[in-house]
Amino acid sequence: MATILPSFIASMRAARPGQAVAIDERLTAFRVPKQRFRHGQSYALSHDERVILIDAVHDVTRDAVDHYLAGRTPAALLLTHGDLVSQAFGSPGELSDWLGGAPVLIHSFDTMNRDGLHPLETNTHILEDLSMAYHHVPGHTPGSTAYLHLPTGYLFTGDIIVGNNYEKPTQLFTHAPISDADWALNTVGWQGIPAAGVKAVFPLHGQPSMGPNAFGEALSAGLDRKRLMRE
């Protein structure tokens, strides 16, 4: 994994908003333009000849996702947090229709009673079938969730962590806002992720972290209140 990172970073810097960039033979990123924070990516992960989409809801990436799927129906669209529902090009039901009826999964604390969203807690059979574990890390939103693909050790963190800037690398940050009341819950959530099982960390914003220190760096940032992002 560590040898793939430099070429991927260069490709992402050169990519147009919405463009697909392969990370490895199983994982593809779709470039998401900068909104409030640094630019980043949503993802498509292949699993046993099926496709799992993570946070791929933006209109700018729609054509690239369609091209990647080439008519296939993904096994699921996993959302890491509720902000993505308002950023999506359509309602949850429209997203599911676009993807051939694929379920749109999110933590129940972030469903906000919107039709078409399926709570993770009552659909664990879908995640188990995809060898995907979920870890509730509240703080940025009440239902913020990290997904760990067990066969690869790929951890998809959404907005609970912000990766290094592509344009001018700095350091990892914890994504604001996290209130005083939520900080303890955020800490418990981070500590519940099995460090030994994580081989790479893939955030929504900023660069992924790959290699033996990937999770340790993310955990250090996630537990450091001084790294709350204020940009």
Side-chain angles (χ1 to χ4, degrees):
M1 287 295 298
T3 59
I4 298 172
L5 182 58
S7 61
F8 169 70
I9 297 303
S11 296
M12 282 296 290
R13 285 175 177 156
R16 301 182 307 276
Q19 186 174 344
V21 178
I23 299 176
D24 62 22
E25 67 278 1
R26 300 186 67 161
L27 185 62
T28 294
F30 304 99
R31 190 190 189 284
V32 178
K34 181 176 179 179
Q35 295 182 9
R36 181 182 174 192
F37 298 99
R38 52 196 63 170
H39 89 253
Q41 54 281 312
S42 56
Y43 303 94
L45 175 68
S46 63
H47 174 84
D48 292 343
E49 299 183 355
R50 291 172 289 172
V51 176
I52 307 165
L53 295 178
I54 301 99
D55 292 344
V57 302
H58 301 90
D59 188 54
V60 70
T61 66
R62 185 174 182 176
D63 288 345
V65 173
D66 281 337
H67 182 75
Y68 174 90
L69 292 172
R72 294 174 294 173
T73 297
L77 169 59
L78 308 182
L79 301 184
T80 56
H81 62 294
D83 291 352
L84 290 159
V85 179
S86 60
Q87 294 173 15
F89 64 81
S91 68
E94 289 169 333
L95 292 174
S96 180
D97 289 344
W98 164 53
L99 298 171
V104 182
L105 303 182
I106 195 170
H107 195 279
S108 63
F109 288 177
D110 276 3
T111 59
M112 295 165 281
N113 296 317
R114 290 187 173 96
D115 292 338
L117 291 176
H118 299 273
L120 294 170
E121 302 93 315
T122 56
N123 288 276
T124 55
H125 62 287
I126 298 175
L127 296 177
E128 290 169 358
D129 184 51
L130 298 171
S131 298
M132 188 76 77
Y134 79 91
H135 297 275
H136 183 209
V137 188
H140 173 61
T141 66
S144 287
T145 297
Y147 296 96
L148 178 60
H149 186 239
L150 300 175
T152 58
Y154 294 172
L155 181 71
F156 300 93
T157 59
D159 272 0
I160 66 173
I161 204 75
V162 177
N164 287 323
N165 200 320
Y166 278 98
E167 290 76 18
K168 185 179 180 181
T170 50
Q171 62 177 335
L172 278 70
F173 284 91
T174 296
H175 202 312
I178 297 180
S179 68
D180 290 342
D182 286 342
W183 184 254
L185 296 175
N186 175 75
T187 299
V188 169
W190 271 109
Q191 292 174 337
I193 300 172
V198 179
K199 306 303 180 186
V201 177
F202 297 98
L204 176 60
H205 299 288
Q207 297 181 20
S209 300
M210 307 178 185
N213 297 322
F215 182 70
E217 293 171 357
L219 180 64
S220 294
L223 299 181
D224 186 353
R225 290 214 71 174
K226 294 178 182 178
R227 294 208 214 174
L228 280 175
M229 173 159 268
R230 303 298 185 189
E231 292 179 5

